[in-house]
Amino acid sequence: MTRPAAVIYFRLMTIRPIICIPDPRLRQVSKPVEKVDDELRALMDDMLETMIDAPGIGLAAIQIALPIRVVVIDCSEREYENEETKSPPRQSKPIYFVNPEIAWVSEEIKSHEEGCLSIPDYFEMVERPSACRVRYDDYEGKPQDLLCEGILATCIQHEVDHLNGILFIDYLSRLKRDRVMRKFQKAAKERIRGDA
Ligand code: NI
């Protein structure tokens, strides 16, 4: 079944708040989704909207504080009708992954610069398998098997890590990880003080 365009057009999508380190919820292991239904599709629409707004190329549900195994990725080159508002994306090709599982990884390893919407403005090189195969259910709940290469391979491995409570900074040296954690802990404390 294809998505009725009119429904998508008129549905009001919501941009959800993204949680950041040191929020302990990012360390939770997310639960499998039992059924792909309209409610889940509405959530996936919101995730895409939130990700585009951020802007990012991948988002796991736990990043909007929902511990379920859902990921949205769009690594396609985006061009915007309106550069100011960054919308609407002209060449958006989102992929929705429900219960994604990495079924195979290549022996070849590649280093790629990674960032994370839950660790804003921080980028580091991370080594991962350069290709992988992922099994998942799509937007309609149909099982899929996808060979991922390039940026998509990096991105899906990063997002599946989120579902298991793993962050890309876990692959860095302890020194680098401690430094970024301290920076965000300090910022969080200052925010709390500011609110009081
Ligand atoms: Ni991330």
Side-chain angles (χ1 to χ4, degrees), residues 3 8 36 41-42 44-45 96 98 137-142:
R3 276 188 283 163
I8 290 304
V36 179
R41 277 186 280 272
M44 291 194 280
D45 293 345
Y96 303 91
V98 179
D137 290 338
D138 66 13
Y139 195 83
E140 309 297 342
K142 267 193 246 144

Side-chain angles (χ1 to χ4, degrees), residues 63 116 158 162:
Q63 294 181 274
C116 181
H158 174 120
H162 271 301

Side-chain angles (χ1 to χ4, degrees), residues 82-83 168 195:
N82 183 332
E83 271 303 323
F168 85 93
D195 289 345

Side-chain angles (χ1 to χ4, degrees), residues 53-176:
D53 176 72
I57 58 168
L59 187 76
I62 190 61
Q63 294 181 274
I64 54 165
L66 291 171
I68 56 169
R69 303 187 83 84
V70 177
V71 163
V72 175
I73 289 179
D74 188 352
C75 297
S76 57
E77 286 298 313
R78 273 198 231 109
E79 278 181 50
Y80 301 103
E81 300 283 350
N82 183 332
E83 271 303 323
E84 284 267 286
T85 60
K86 303 270 185 231
S87 73
R90 226 186 288 163
Q91 297 182 333
S92 174
K93 281 182 202 126
I95 311 175
Y96 303 91
F97 298 88
V98 179
N99 300 328
E101 279 189 39
I102 308 282
W104 170 83
V105 292
S106 65
E107 273 175 38
E108 191 190 59
I109 302 289
K110 253 194 191 157
S111 192
H112 202 284
E113 187 174 65
E114 294 189 29
C116 181
L117 294 176
S118 295
I119 314 171
D121 304 318
Y122 184 77
F123 302 91
E124 276 291 346
M125 299 301 284
V126 177
E127 286 189 344
R128 297 184 191 267
S130 62
C132 64
R133 254 184 52 222
V134 55
R135 292 201 189 106
Y136 62 99
D137 290 338
D138 66 13
Y139 195 83
E140 309 297 342
K142 267 193 246 144
Q144 301 287 348
D145 192 323
L146 183 68
L147 176 66
C148 304
E149 291 170 303
I151 178 101
L152 179 59
T154 298
C155 196
I156 188 63
Q157 291 175 70
H158 174 120
E159 301 307 333
V160 170
D161 273 353
H162 271 301
L163 305 183
N164 296 321
I166 298 166
L167 300 168
F168 85 93
I169 53 171
D170 298 350
Y171 298 103
L172 306 180
S173 68
R174 168 168 282 225
L175 184 76
K176 279 185 179 170

